[in-house]
Amino acid sequence: MGVGKSTVGQLLAERLGVGYRDTDEDIVAEQGRTIAEIFVDGGEPAFRAIEKQAVRRALAEHDGVLALGGGSVLDEDTRALLAGQRVVYLSMDVEEAVKRTGLNVARPLLMINPRKQWRELMEVRRHLYEEIATAVVSTDGRTPEEVTQVALDALELKEA
């Protein structure tokens, strides 16, 4: 959350001359409501089921840069689909997260004690991100352009 996946994803797509797609945007467009509303209406399990299908569809239809929601890696089938793909895990520490997002209540999984919940989420997810990542790129203290360049270098990709 707040790591810059949308911004960096768009910059990567531009620099590589390919399309950009975000599964969270796909979900909002398909469902006609925000991610937060989906969480409130159906809870996390309902959202994760919708997310799983959105990721599966996007991977089948899109061959450019794809930004995935932070919790999509929780699903074993999704992780299997990502195996063999070029995956960049954009990482940041809690202090950077506070600077970027304020860890505000607009994030459904961070509504109570945001710092503690962010740390707990990362404890559960970090190893999953690292498991599927081709490259891990720290975003702490870097501009989106710097993160983009580090990602390109890590993946050994050339700009279009």
Side-chain angles (χ1 to χ4, degrees):
M1 291 176 247
V3 75
K5 66 183 179 295
S6 298
T7 301
V8 171
Q10 290 170 353
L11 287 169
L12 275 170
E14 274 178 35
R15 293 190 46 193
L16 292 168
V18 298
Y20 169 79
R21 185 167 174 174
D22 184 320
T23 57
D24 282 351
E25 291 175 7
D26 290 353
I27 291 167
V28 169
E30 179 185 287
Q31 296 291 312
R33 51 196 172 138
T34 67
I35 302 290
E37 289 169 333
I38 296 168
F39 266 83
V40 168
D41 295 344
E44 186 175 358
F47 173 75
R48 295 295 173 214
I50 294 166
E51 180 180 52
K52 178 179 180 174
Q53 292 309 310
V55 172
R56 178 179 299 280
R57 189 169 40 256
L59 284 168
E61 297 172 357
H62 183 73
D63 62 358
V65 174
L66 181 62
L68 304 182
S72 60
V73 299
L74 296 172
D75 182 75
E76 186 176 343
D77 293 336
T78 298
R79 290 193 310 275
L81 287 173
L82 293 169
Q85 302 287 334
R86 290 187 201 136
V87 177
V88 177
Y89 162 35
L90 300 178
S91 70
M92 71 178 166
D93 67 22
V94 70
E95 297 312 316
E96 188 77 10
V98 169
K99 280 190 243 173
R100 291 185 190 188
T101 68
L103 294 180
N104 61 35
V105 295
R107 308 287 184 166
L109 291 178
L110 300 176
M111 294 179 89
I112 301 167
N113 195 346
R115 282 178 190 245
K116 179 178 183 254
Q117 287 181 293
W118 188 89
R119 283 187 183 104
E120 289 172 357
L121 281 175
M122 289 310 298
E123 284 176 25
V124 169
R125 296 177 181 182
R126 184 174 286 114
H127 76 281
L128 299 173
Y129 295 148
E130 291 170 349
E131 173 186 313
I132 63 163
T134 308
V136 177
V137 176
S138 173
T139 64
D140 295 346
R142 289 180 167 154
T143 67
E145 292 76 13
E146 291 169 330
V147 172
T148 300
Q149 188 58 56
V150 172
L152 285 167
D153 294 343
L155 295 173
E156 299 178 350
L157 295 174
K158 304 295 180 220
E159 296 179 50

